[in-house]
Amino acid sequence: EGRLTAPSTRRIFFPGSFLSNLISLREFNALSQLVNIAESFGEIKEPKIESIPSGISIKAVNDARGLNDFIRVPWRVFENEPNWVPPLLLERKDALSAKQPIFTHLDWQGWVAYHENKAIGRISAQIDHQHLKRYGDATGFFGFLDACDNDVLFRTLFDAVECWLRERGMRRARG
């Protein structure tokens, strides 16, 4: 089992991947541990199923408890970061509320990763139907990526997003 620690920052290139080619958003700090990158941007190595740490499970956010766990993941991930300023819980709950106008044209799914019944990671996938109508590019989106520093954990979170977007006809993902 890998040790789960706080993330660091780096730009990552995914050659030939379903994911967008370059990810550089600040909220995706822990991606630096996702893959081993050769100087020539070599091939991505897929994790072997036996390398998944025991006790890690990924659950879709389908109820109030799942949403609460999803919102609170950063408190666990960044608990030892002295410069981390937590967002207001009320604001985060409001931002993800079905009453938000964006949800009239956006399909959203979140996932939470658990280890020993503790939420240790999260990610979301979105399909914006206004974007698809305007650009017709079969692009889905991902975000809310926060997790303890473990490359297999990140691969598993990204796999959930990739599968969900593919099932809905998306050919690429942008984060």
Side-chain angles (χ1 to χ4, degrees), residues 151-169:
D151 59 340
V152 176
L153 173 58
F154 275 92
R155 176 78 299 186
T156 305
L157 288 167
F158 275 117
D159 286 348
V161 166
E162 184 174 339
C163 181
W164 189 84
L165 290 172
R166 278 187 195 269
E167 287 174 355
R168 286 153 182 81

Side-chain angles (χ1 to χ4, degrees), residues 2-173:
R3 187 167 163 245
L4 303 174
T5 60
S8 58
T9 304
R10 185 180 290 177
R11 292 171 66 117
I12 306 281
F13 181 75
F14 294 91
S17 173
F18 178 75
L19 299 174
S20 59
N21 287 341
L22 186 62
I23 298 169
S24 61
L25 297 175
R26 282 178 274 142
E27 70 185 51
F28 296 175
N29 292 338
L31 283 175
S32 64
Q33 299 302 316
L34 179 59
V35 292
N36 293 324
I37 302 172
E39 287 183 26
S40 64
F41 300 113
E43 187 176 319
I44 294 175
K45 297 179 181 174
E46 292 294 324
K48 295 178 182 171
I49 193 71
E50 61 267 14
S51 69
I52 295 175
S54 64
I56 288 184
S57 63
I58 307 293
K59 295 181 182 175
V61 174
N62 293 322
D63 57 22
R65 180 182 172 171
L67 183 59
N68 189 51
D69 287 351
F70 182 88
I71 290 169
R72 291 178 181 271
V73 164
W75 275 259
R76 178 166 305 283
V77 173
F78 300 113
E79 66 187 346
N80 295 321
E81 286 291 324
N83 296 319
W84 183 65
V85 178
L88 297 172
L89 281 173
L90 180 65
E91 185 279 328
R92 293 289 73 205
K93 288 178 182 178
D94 186 58
L96 293 171
S97 167
K99 70 180 181 181
Q100 292 296 328
I102 194 167
F103 289 110
T104 61
H105 61 86
L106 184 89
D107 295 335
W108 182 91
Q109 180 63 61
W111 291 269
V112 179
Y114 295 91
H115 182 257
E116 297 177 356
N117 295 321
K118 295 177 184 170
I120 59 166
R122 70 178 184 176
I123 196 167
S124 69
Q126 300 81 230
I127 297 175
D128 185 338
H129 296 284
Q130 286 185 353
H131 172 90
L132 294 177
K133 185 177 178 181
R134 179 169 185 174
Y135 297 103
D137 60 359
T139 298
F141 299 88
F142 65 96
F144 285 103
L145 178 60
D146 293 296
C148 294
D149 192 6
N150 180 290
D151 59 340
V152 176
L153 173 58
F154 275 92
R155 176 78 299 186
T156 305
L157 288 167
F158 275 117
D159 286 348
V161 166
E162 184 174 339
C163 181
W164 189 84
L165 290 172
R166 278 187 195 269
E167 287 174 355
R168 286 153 182 81
M170 301 299 106
R171 292 182 316 208
R172 65 184 64 77

